[in-house]
């Protein structure tokens, strides 16, 4: 996030210690979220995956993490998952869609429908500009599509009575966030329309992976204004530490209250 200097970050004590360290370095996380409803068991985004190759970030190649063991130990074995939702089709959101068995990529969640945005899917299928992105599509998206497990959905798709998608475009052309309404309470899973709580302070802070920077900034401004000072729990797809909090106004800025 080039515009967020260490000096700027240190001026924002509410970021420390959860979202930045004392030196002003930002902390982030790559994780999956599981949403359980009376009808469905939904994994939102699937991280980096194991055994993947051709990734631009060196440490994202040939990983051998205990993701599935951890999920199983938490009570969510892969075969119990009936829905996988990809907020978008970037490398750190589709990795565990598949796993390597022998020399083949097979769906990690064999009993799940994989929900992907129609626009998003088409964009990445037709994108041949960068080898690393083509590799992601080939090993983490195409195999589940070929297995007949993908449902292409619109950006305002409703999954259950409690869970629906909302379009939050800019980071990618078909990006969605996830609205949860349950027993009188509300939550929003961000996906990557934002990456770090410092963007509440300045929605103009962008990361280089935003496909359309101006649209991404406009989306952040719109969503922040809509959710500020509401009881909605904001659950960050890349927020470190406590991962979730309430969005509050702070003068002419916003911050996350955890
Ligand atoms: Zn991401």
């Amino acid at each position: 996030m080039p515009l967020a200097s260490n000096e700027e970050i240190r001026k924002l004590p509410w970021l420390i210690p959860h979202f930045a360290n004392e030196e002003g370095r930002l902390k982030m996380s790559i994780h999956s979220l599981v949403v359980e409803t009376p009808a469905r068991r939904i994994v939102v985004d699937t991280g980096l995956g194991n055994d993947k190759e051709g990734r631009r970030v060196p440490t994202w190649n040939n990983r051998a993490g205990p993701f599935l063991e951890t999920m199983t130990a938490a009570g969510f074995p892969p075969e119990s998952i009936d829905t996988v939702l990809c907020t978008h089709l970037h490398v750190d959101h589709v990795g565990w869609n598949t796993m390597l068995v022998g020399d083949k990529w097979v769906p990690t969640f064999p009993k799940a429908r994989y929900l992907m945005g129609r626009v998003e899917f088409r964009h990445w299928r037709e994108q041949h500009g960068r080898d690393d992105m083509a590799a992601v599509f080939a090993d983490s998206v195409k195999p589940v599509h070929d297995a007949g497990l993908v449902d292409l959905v619109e950006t305002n798709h409703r999954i259950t009575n409690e869970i629906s998608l909302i379009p939050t475009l800019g980071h990618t052309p078909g990006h969605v966030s996830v609205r949860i309404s349950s027993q009188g309470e509300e939550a929003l899973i961000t996906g990557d329309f934002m990456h770090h709580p410092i963007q509440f302070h300045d929605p103009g802070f962008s990361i280089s992976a935003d496909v359309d920077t101006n649209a991404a900034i406009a989306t952040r401004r719109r969503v922040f204004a809509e959710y500020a000072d509401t009881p909605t729990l904001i659950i960050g797809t890349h927020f470190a530490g406590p991962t979730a909090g309430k969005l509050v106004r702070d003068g002419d800025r916003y911050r996350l209250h955890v």
Side-chain angles (χ1 to χ4, degrees):
M1 201 167 284
L3 293 177
S5 67
N6 294 13
E7 193 185 359
E8 183 91 18
I9 293 161
R10 280 199 304 263
K11 284 185 213 153
L12 301 171
W14 63 269
L15 289 176
I16 302 167
H18 297 315
F19 307 118
N21 67 17
E22 299 284 349
E23 288 79 51
R25 285 178 60 85
L26 299 179
K27 298 180 186 177
M28 288 180 68
S29 167
I30 296 175
H31 50 246
S32 293
L33 295 159
V34 178
V35 185
E36 241 187 330
T37 81
R40 304 283 280 266
R41 223 172 211 212
I42 306 166
V43 173
V44 180
D45 291 329
T46 62
L48 290 164
N50 277 359
D51 301 307
K52 304 282 159 117
E53 294 182 334
R55 282 19 181 186
R56 206 161 46 138
V57 177
T59 54
W60 292 1
N61 288 286
N62 296 305
R63 294 177 59 83
F67 180 85
L68 296 180
E69 292 79 2
T70 306
M71 272 191 77
T72 300
F76 300 95
E79 58 274 12
S80 75
I81 301 298
D82 55 42
T83 309
V84 175
L85 169 72
C86 299
T87 59
H88 61 303
L89 300 183
H90 271 164
V91 54
D92 52 322
H93 297 260
V94 298
W96 273 110
N97 283 0
T98 58
M99 60 184 182
L100 194 59
V101 175
D103 58 357
K104 280 192 66 177
W105 295 108
V106 302
T108 306
F109 304 99
K111 296 182 178 162
R113 300 305 302 174
Y114 284 69
L115 309 186
M116 299 177 184
R118 185 184 306 282
V119 171
E120 187 73 12
F121 181 87
R122 199 173 295 150
H123 175 79
W124 295 111
R125 187 183 55 191
E126 288 159 14
Q127 170 102 14
H128 302 297
R130 261 175 50 184
D131 287 350
D132 58 329
M133 295 198 175
V136 170
F137 193 88
D139 62 36
S140 301
V141 178
K142 189 169 184 296
V144 284
H145 188 258
D146 289 349
L149 299 184
V150 170
D151 290 332
L152 296 178
V153 299
E154 306 309 320
T155 54
N156 61 355
H157 180 71
R158 176 172 286 275
I159 302 176
T160 71
N161 285 339
E162 304 89 359
I163 317 285
S164 53
L165 308 182
I166 61 166
T168 42
L169 312 182
H171 178 62
T172 62
H175 186 276
V176 295
S177 302
V178 183
R179 273 297 297 264
I180 305 171
S181 300
S182 175
Q183 300 178 358
E185 297 197 82
E186 304 282 331
L188 177 75
I189 296 176
T190 59
D192 281 9
F193 85 86
M194 65 180 306
H195 292 82
H196 191 281
I198 196 172
Q199 290 168 300
F200 293 128
H201 172 74
D202 189 338
F205 287 168
S206 294
I207 66 155
S208 52
D210 285 345
V211 169
D212 182 337
T213 304
N214 290 334
I217 293 170
T219 292
R220 285 194 283 277
R221 290 192 193 287
R222 172 175 61 80
V223 177
F224 295 171
E226 183 177 341
Y227 287 96
D229 294 335
T230 72
T232 304
L233 187 68
I234 308 292
I235 304 169
T237 296
H238 286 306
F239 294 2
T243 307
K246 304 284 172 71
L247 177 56
V248 294
R249 282 182 208 279
D250 186 1
D252 58 353
R253 306 280 187 166
Y254 306 103
R255 64 182 164 81
L256 192 67
H257 178 72
V258 298

